[in-house]
Amino acid sequence: MSYGPDDQIERDAPDAPYEQLAEILRARIARGDWKPDRALTAETRLSGEYKLSRPTIRRAIDALGDAGLVYRVPGRGAFVTARGAGGDT
């Protein structure tokens, strides 16, 4: 399935919630919700916004990290890479 930046998590969808969230966040990054080297919304806030547990949020962000779209800074959060924001890396 394909998810857009304004979609919500579908509990009865075939994709796992973390996969859905990763695609939603990927679409939000592509739309420009976060600029390069700017932090994503905090995990606790994303947890409340999408009604998912923090481990699920972390798993989605980790998937974006594996794709090279975000990087983590310990104690600070996840940040968008230039590649994630459509730039060159």
Side-chain angles (χ1 to χ4, degrees), residues 4-80:
D6 298 316
D7 287 343
Q8 293 297 311
I9 302 301
E10 297 179 31
R11 302 288 176 185
D12 58 351
D15 297 325
Y18 86 91
E19 294 172 319
Q20 293 179 53
L21 181 60
E23 287 303 313
I24 291 167
L25 295 177
R26 181 187 307 261
R28 289 182 65 185
I29 289 168
R31 180 172 68 184
D33 287 7
W34 300 286
K35 303 295 181 211
D37 297 318
R38 297 293 180 206
L40 294 180
T41 302
E43 289 178 3
T44 52
R45 221 161 146 203
L46 288 172
S47 179
E49 181 178 344
Y50 291 101
K51 296 175 181 40
L52 296 170
S53 69
R54 284 190 64 199
T56 301
I57 301 295
R58 279 190 213 107
R59 193 167 178 192
I61 292 172
D62 287 345
L64 295 176
D66 292 345
L69 301 177
V70 300
Y71 62 94
R72 289 190 182 272
V73 175
R76 301 279 315 205
F79 293 77
V80 175

